Amino acid sequence: MNFFTANKIETSYDGISSLPPYSGVSIDTRTLMPGELFIALDGNNFKGHQFVQEALKKGACAAVQSFEAPFVDSRVFLVKDPLAVLQNIAQQHRKIIKGVCYAVTGSVGKTTTKEGLAHVLKHFGKTYASASSYNNHIGVPLSIANCPAETQYTVFEIGTNHPGEISPLVSYVNPDVSVLTSICEAHIENFENLQSIAQEKFEIFSGKIGILPTHCPFKALLDQKDIHWITYGMNEGDVHVEYLNEVNSILRVKTPWGALTYRPSSFCPHWIEGNLGILAALLSEKIDLQKAAESLSSFFPLKGRGALMHYDTLNITCIDESYNAAPLAMRACIQAFGVRDVPGRKILLLGEMGELGDHGPKLHKDLTNYIENVKAAHIFLVGKLFEESAKILSKKGHSVYWGMEIFSLFNALKSLLISSDTLLVKGKNAAKMNKIFQFLEEWNNSKKNQEI
């Protein structure tokens, strides 16, 4: 077991002069492992200090908290701000991580790009990536604090939904390579306009190398940054598509170091563009780029981000894009679904997008043409912001079902779905669009049992 020691990590502030050696850092007793340091974070939705005793019973070597403990234990350290301790640990620990460090941000595709980079890099050396979507002021320092020092490649995801959040997170990560995915109106309710979102995202570029889309909006704002730029895009950029044959599953990518040929796991345009961004990020490494490209063949869309779900007895397939829904991602997914070859009918199941503020009604109404072009047999829309779109589409003769919640549409779905249907499921997390999969699983199992 690798232990982080007080000799390597200085936390001599806020009442702490030293910490015992620990094997990792935890903020959740449900996943805490023996030997880890437990940092009790308190917020509106969580009270970490209430779980300190449980953490110690589960084997935590020590605990850091801000509330006076109702018990006496030398392993409990009382501080003003436990989060500041976590962030300090991350900053100190980052200094001893010697491998190449990547940071990824953008309005859409952050997690997929992060996971894709890690998937490829693990073929070339010990690789560590932040878990899930750990991309905020807690997740980023926690990810850094738990990164093994001997890691050759590290990949961290950085997110924001308010101005001023990315810069401090980047200071913790201190990336060598900064990767930007697409920029769109995601979280625009907390920003002045799209340019202010771009300015916030551009804070990612603090390292030696910057990776960004060829047609990135407001790119002129980056002219003063002293960084080596690498661009990517479907048709233009340092890394771009040279030849694509979906029938034969062949993709050839042009790079400054020559062409790379491989079979991507999906030919959806937004998936291909994500692959291009990953390959662009690897250009600075002394690795076999052809091997890197070929390893992308075994990288598949993630759960909630394009994964395919098939229900065998019902013979119904779902494209699971339920994790979240920014305007650009919503448009891209609907467009890709419209041109996708499927064995039967196309069904749209869309939940409203979130954090759009005053832009919300227009951005939802703007989706109407995209939805129409799919020529879906049935359209199911969820949420207040989709109510107007439902009325417009219904007046045009489309089969439309609208509800405030996904659950209200289950009966209609069950009565209308038939064998060989393919559903695109997408919406913001709060819309709970992923509940459709539990519903379909239970229906599928019920039908299976009836056939036995």
Side-chain angles (χ1 to χ4, degrees):
M1 183 178 291
N2 294 323
F3 282 87
F4 304 140
T5 70
N7 293 330
K8 292 181 180 178
I9 298 175
E10 300 171 5
T11 52
S12 55
Y13 77 108
D14 201 8
I16 299 179
S17 57
S18 65
L19 287 169
Y22 51 91
S23 57
V25 179
S26 174
I27 60 171
D28 190 337
T29 54
R30 293 170 297 182
T31 55
L32 182 142
M33 300 297 291
E36 291 185 334
L37 170 68
F38 180 68
I39 297 184
L41 300 180
D42 292 286
N44 294 331
N45 301 316
F46 45 89
K47 305 294 179 185
H49 72 278
Q50 296 177 354
F51 297 92
V52 169
Q53 280 187 297
E54 180 182 342
L56 295 172
K57 287 178 181 178
K58 284 190 170 185
C61 65
V64 175
Q65 67 176 66
S66 59
F67 283 77
E68 192 74 52
F71 59 93
V72 177
D73 195 307
S74 61
R75 295 171 293 174
V76 177
F77 294 81
L78 187 65
V79 300
K80 294 178 182 177
D81 187 355
L83 177 58
V85 174
L86 172 61
Q87 293 168 338
N88 180 260
I89 287 173
Q91 286 177 310
Q92 297 299 325
H93 185 59
R94 174 66 184 91
K95 295 175 183 178
I96 64 171
I97 302 172
K98 301 303 182 184
V100 178
C101 181
Y102 293 83
V104 181
T105 197
S107 297
V108 296
K110 295 184 295 294
T111 301
T112 297
T113 298
K114 179 256 298 180
E115 292 294 332
L117 269 171
H119 177 84
V120 174
L121 288 167
K122 71 182 181 182
H123 292 83
F124 300 96
K126 187 171 183 179
T127 300
Y128 173 90
S130 49
S132 187
S133 293
Y134 282 17
N135 61 22
N136 65 5
H137 64 295
I138 297 173
V140 171
L142 182 64
S143 298
I144 297 170
N146 284 313
C147 178
E150 67 277 11
T151 303
Q152 290 175 260
Y153 303 105
T154 57
V155 190
F156 298 104
E157 179 181 335
I158 295 178
T160 178
N161 58 14
H162 284 84
E165 291 182 323
I166 285 185
S167 183
L169 300 182
V170 171
S171 71
Y172 302 146
V173 173
N174 190 23
D176 299 298
V177 182
S178 302
V179 183
L180 178 68
T181 64
S182 299
I183 291 175
C184 74
E185 304 92 339
H187 311 298
I188 198 169
E189 73 172 354
N190 302 319
F191 291 86
E192 184 178 347
N193 49 38
L194 188 60
Q195 179 173 333
S196 63
I197 293 176
Q199 288 174 310
E200 174 69 9
K201 299 295 184 183
F202 290 164
E203 292 296 317
I204 191 79
F205 296 119
S206 67
K208 304 168 187 174
I209 299 170
I211 315 298
L212 76 165
T214 304
H215 298 293
C216 178
F218 311 106
K219 195 162 54 173
L221 297 173
L222 297 169
D223 288 346
Q224 302 304 313
K225 286 188 176 283
D226 184 20
I227 289 178
H228 174 65
W229 299 106
I230 300 174
T231 60
Y232 66 93
M234 291 295 286
N235 302 308
E236 295 179 71
D238 298 311
V239 178
H240 65 269
V241 174
E242 186 175 63
Y243 173 77
L244 185 154
N245 188 320
E246 189 169 352
V247 174
N248 295 319
S249 300
I250 294 294
L251 175 66
R252 186 162 64 242
V253 176
K254 183 73 176 294
T255 81
W257 312 126
L260 309 171
T261 303
Y262 71 105
R263 300 176 184 273
S265 60
S266 169
F267 277 87
C268 289
H270 56 282
W271 181 261
I272 296 296
E273 186 157 357
N275 275 208
L276 297 175
I278 292 167
L279 292 171
L282 298 170
L283 288 184
S284 61
E285 295 305 303
K286 294 179 180 179
I287 60 175
D288 184 337
L289 290 174
Q290 178 58 42
K291 179 181 176 182
E294 290 171 2
S295 68
L296 282 172
S297 299
S298 58
F299 177 57
F300 295 90
L302 309 172
K303 181 180 179 181
R305 297 175 170 90
L308 291 180
M309 314 276 284
H310 185 70
Y311 301 91
D312 53 355
T313 306
L314 296 173
N315 192 27
I316 288 172
T317 299
C318 288
I319 303 171
D320 177 12
E321 289 277 1
S322 64
Y323 177 75
N324 222 331
L328 179 62
M330 183 69 92
R331 294 190 292 266
C333 287
I334 296 172
Q335 279 184 307
F337 188 52
V339 298
R340 188 185 187 110
D341 288 329
V342 299
R345 308 183 306 173
K346 294 178 181 179
I347 311 292
L348 281 170
L349 180 53
L350 306 176
E352 67 180 13
M353 303 175 287
E355 297 187 58
L356 300 177
D358 295 338
H359 302 270
K362 181 181 185 302
L363 287 168
H364 283 78
K365 189 176 180 181
D366 287 348
L367 291 174
T368 304
N369 288 336
Y370 291 89
I371 292 171
E372 277 196 284
N373 290 337
V374 172
K375 296 180 172 56
H378 302 291
I379 302 164
F380 296 86
L381 301 175
V382 178
K384 181 66 178 175
L385 288 170
F386 262 136
E387 187 175 15
E388 183 63 25
S389 300
K391 291 177 181 177
I392 293 171
L393 290 164
S394 183
K395 287 179 181 178
K396 291 185 175 183
H398 296 279
S399 174
V400 184
Y401 295 81
W402 173 84
M404 281 296 293
E405 295 184 336
I406 179 66
F407 309 102
S408 66
L409 300 176
F410 283 174
N411 287 337
L413 275 162
K414 192 169 184 177
S415 67
L416 292 169
L417 293 180
I418 61 175
S419 177
S420 298
D421 279 351
T422 300
L423 286 73
L424 171 64
V425 182
K426 190 166 182 65
K428 67 179 183 181
N429 274 323
K432 299 180 179 179
M433 303 304 290
N434 60 350
K435 295 299 181 183
I436 184 63
F437 307 122
Q438 180 181 346
F439 167 75
L440 290 172
E441 185 68 33
E442 291 174 355
W443 181 18
N444 189 70
N445 290 337
S446 175
K447 189 173 182 179
K448 187 178 295 184
N449 291 334
Q450 291 172 10
E451 294 178 356
I452 295 176

